[in-house]
Amino acid sequence: MIRLLSFAALAAILTGSAIFRLSAEHQVRMEARAIAKLERQEAQLQAEIDRLQFEVEVLESAPRLNELSQGRLPLAPGSGRQLADGDVLLDVIDPAARMENRP
């Protein structure tokens, strides 16, 4: 009888440890999948960051800024009247570029 109880206890312990091991392996596999998914997302986000940084470099490049400034900022010497009268000078400045409100 004691042998039978010892055998049953040993079988229960072995079964419990096998179930615990299978559960732990399953959790490890799930965590490995989650890590792989996060690594893929990180790679995608890094590619997007690189693309956006390149786009900023292109948009802020000297030739592009020069092209934009030539179209919006025609540089010409000011007349004496513009320098003497601030209202005349304000009429020359592009109203879209000004941030102030005139009454």
Side-chain angles (χ1 to χ4, degrees):
M1 182 73 168
I2 294 177
R3 281 189 182 178
L4 185 59
L5 288 175
S6 297
F7 182 72
L10 182 62
I13 291 171
L14 289 176
T15 304
S17 65
I19 291 172
F20 178 75
R21 180 176 176 196
L22 290 175
S23 174
E25 286 179 359
H26 177 68
Q27 288 177 351
V28 166
R29 275 186 250 125
M30 287 180 58
E31 293 299 324
R33 283 189 212 119
I35 289 171
K37 182 180 177 184
L38 290 173
E39 287 174 346
R40 285 192 303 271
Q41 287 177 346
E42 179 186 18
Q44 289 173 345
L45 290 173
Q46 187 60 47
E48 182 72 10
I49 288 170
D50 293 341
R51 186 187 68 78
L52 291 173
Q53 285 176 340
F54 176 73
E55 189 173 330
V56 167
E57 288 175 12
V58 168
L59 292 174
E60 292 180 346
S61 67
R64 184 172 189 296
L65 293 177
N66 187 28
E67 176 186 323
L68 289 174
S69 68
Q70 286 178 359
R72 300 187 109 212
L73 302 171
L75 298 177
S79 68
R81 185 165 178 246
Q82 290 174 342
L83 295 175
D85 188 3
D87 291 331
V88 175
L89 183 61
L90 284 176
D91 291 336
V92 174
I93 298 174
D94 181 17
R98 282 186 287 152
M99 298 300 289
E100 67 184 45
N101 293 326
R102 286 185 61 194

